[in-house]
Amino acid sequence: MNTHIIDHYAAQIPILPGEYLPAYLARLRKLTNGVDPKRLMSFSGSVQLGKLHQLFPRVASCFAYRESAREYSGALLKEHLGARFWRGFTDEQAYREHIKCVKIRVKSKRSVFEGEEILDGLKPMKFCADCRVADIEKYGAPIWHATHQITSMYSCAVHGKPLLSFHLKAGETLLDYPLINDEVLSLGSVIKSDELRNWLNNQSSQLLKISSEDNRNRLRDVKSSMASAMGARETTRSMHVDITYRLEWRKYLSSALTRLCPSAQSYAFFSGKASLGLAQQLKQAAPVRHPLVFLLAMKFAEDATEFKAS
């Protein structure tokens, strides 16, 4: 087993319980400022941290699956990257194929989650003010929590209070804010609760309580129930959904995403994205789908039919 230089520093500055893995890497990078970044970050094939706000950031997966720590990779991803939540939305074979690319540090042919990049605007950093105080008391450091970064979570599961959002400015990364400092606190804005956010938060909280495999089985049953409620038919090649439902879904998706992130650009271009279409959300064999989009499809089915998510 090869030992990478980052393992030496990770042993001295360990990741804290529940800490968001990309933020930990940014914190480690900051605290090892005198170390050659090429040596420190060579495990990921780059000196850059890259995109850290996605559900499955490449640098975080490279860190989790580095040769010296692969026996702990599952625990790292589950506790520190919210994998208990999002793994249920991926086909296991598609996930493993992506991991093969990660381990040999080559670019995967496809993203793990369709729609990830065009949903960037919906992914501010989030934190709980009470957790921040508690973390300072326990660890002396106000850390970013992994569960708070799940796209469809809007309240703290521990304190039951609305999360605060913090938007990184253009050109900024977590290297600028590896911890929730006073500036973050002063600029953080409370995420206002509404019927849609409350629904998404409740569904996400339920998914966090069960294993990835149980999530996958539950979502498989949910898809069947949604398809049945809409009278959809799946063949070996396609999913047939009534045109009325398809058109109404596009309107609903655009409206919902605009409400969730009103400052973002118009979502009119969603009409041309087959991967975000209703048929794609209902297919049993679709290998990957973005969790937020699928949860919105569940809410759409509840509103448009007699389907009930829970």
Side-chain angles (χ1 to χ4, degrees), residues 166 179 197 217 239 246 258 304:
F166 175 74
L179 295 170
R197 285 185 175 86
N217 291 335
M239 169 68 74
R246 298 205 308 270
T258 301

Side-chain angles (χ1 to χ4, degrees), residues 20 124-133 135 142-150 153-157 159 161-167 177 179-191:
Y20 184 47
M125 296 300 295
K126 294 177 288 187
F127 65 96
C128 167
D130 286 2
C131 283
R132 180 180 184 273
V133 172
D135 290 341
I143 63 174
W144 297 99
H145 285 250
T147 53
H148 294 164
Q149 309 319 315
I150 291 172
M153 292 290 288
Y154 300 101
S155 67
C156 176
H159 298 101
K161 294 184 177 180
L163 295 173
L164 288 85
S165 64
F166 175 74
H167 291 265
Y177 304 97
L179 295 170
I180 306 171
N181 60 20
D182 291 340
E183 181 182 357
V184 172
L185 183 62
S186 66
L187 295 175
S189 58
V190 176
I191 299 176

Side-chain angles (χ1 to χ4, degrees), residues 2 16 89 94 109 112 120 122 137 144-145 159-160 169 181 194 201 205 215 229 241 284 288 291 310:
N2 295 327
L16 295 171
F89 290 88
K109 292 181 180 179
V112 179
D120 277 359
L122 291 159
E137 292 178 353
W144 297 99
H145 285 250
H159 298 101
K169 299 183 183 72
N181 60 20
D194 55 31
N201 192 77
S205 297
N215 279 343
V241 186
Q284 289 289 358
V288 292
S310 56

Side-chain angles (χ1 to χ4, degrees), residues 48-297:
Q48 302 297 322
L49 285 176
K51 294 183 177 181
L52 300 178
H53 59 288
Q54 295 183 339
L55 288 169
F56 191 48
R58 179 174 175 77
V59 69
S61 58
C62 287
F63 177 81
Y65 284 102
R66 67 197 190 285
E67 185 175 342
S68 54
R70 285 177 187 168
E71 60 188 290
Y72 306 111
S73 58
L76 271 170
L77 296 183
K78 182 171 70 173
E79 183 182 355
H80 302 287
L81 206 61
R84 178 186 288 276
F85 171 81
W86 54 254
R87 280 284 293 279
F89 290 88
T90 67
D91 175 79
E92 193 62 23
Q93 182 177 350
Y95 175 77
R96 292 185 183 280
E97 287 176 357
H98 184 87
I99 290 304
K100 284 181 182 178
C101 296
V102 167
K103 288 180 177 178
I104 59 175
R105 297 190 301 186
V106 300
K107 187 174 181 179
S108 181
K109 292 181 180 179
R110 64 183 305 167
S111 61
V112 179
F113 297 101
E114 292 291 338
E116 183 83 53
E117 291 189 2
I118 55 180
L119 293 172
D120 277 359
L122 291 159
K123 197 67 170 56
M125 296 300 295
K126 294 177 288 187
F127 65 96
C128 167
D130 286 2
C131 283
R132 180 180 184 273
V133 172
D135 290 341
I136 292 174
E137 292 178 353
K138 285 190 291 186
Y139 314 121
I143 63 174
W144 297 99
H145 285 250
T147 53
H148 294 164
Q149 309 319 315
I150 291 172
T151 318
S152 47
M153 292 290 288
Y154 300 101
S155 67
C156 176
V158 176
H159 298 101
K161 294 184 177 180
L163 295 173
L164 288 85
S165 64
F166 175 74
H167 291 265
L168 296 168
K169 299 183 183 72
E172 290 183 335
T173 71
L174 279 177
L175 278 174
D176 298 292
Y177 304 97
L179 295 170
I180 306 171
N181 60 20
D182 291 340
E183 181 182 357
V184 172
L185 183 62
S186 66
L187 295 175
S189 58
V190 176
I191 299 176
K192 295 180 180 179
S193 63
D194 55 31
E195 189 268 342
L196 178 58
R197 285 185 175 86
N198 290 341
W199 189 93
L200 290 168
N201 192 77
N202 290 337
Q203 291 295 326
S204 301
S205 297
Q206 290 181 35
L207 290 169
L208 271 173
K209 295 175 183 176
I210 56 181
S211 69
S212 299
E213 189 55 43
D214 288 338
N215 279 343
R216 194 172 288 124
N217 291 335
R218 177 176 181 269
L219 293 173
R220 189 178 297 119
D221 293 338
V222 165
K223 279 184 283 185
S224 294
S225 298
M226 288 166 61
S228 177
M230 295 183 198
R233 296 177 294 104
E234 185 170 14
T235 67
T236 54
R237 291 188 176 183
S238 62
M239 169 68 74
H240 298 280
V241 186
D242 186 274
I243 185 65
T244 302
Y245 283 127
R246 298 205 308 270
L247 294 175
E248 287 302 314
W249 160 246
R250 290 295 181 184
K251 294 178 184 177
Y252 180 86
L253 181 62
S254 177
S255 173
L257 292 176
T258 301
R259 276 185 286 155
L260 294 173
C261 190
S263 61
Q265 60 185 306
S266 170
Y267 289 96
F269 55 76
F270 274 89
S271 60
K273 295 290 182 180
S275 62
L276 302 183
L278 187 58
Q280 186 73 0
Q281 308 310 312
L282 299 178
K283 281 182 181 179
Q284 289 289 358
V288 292
R289 56 183 53 77
H290 194 282
L292 177 62
V293 175
F294 185 75
L295 288 175
L296 288 174

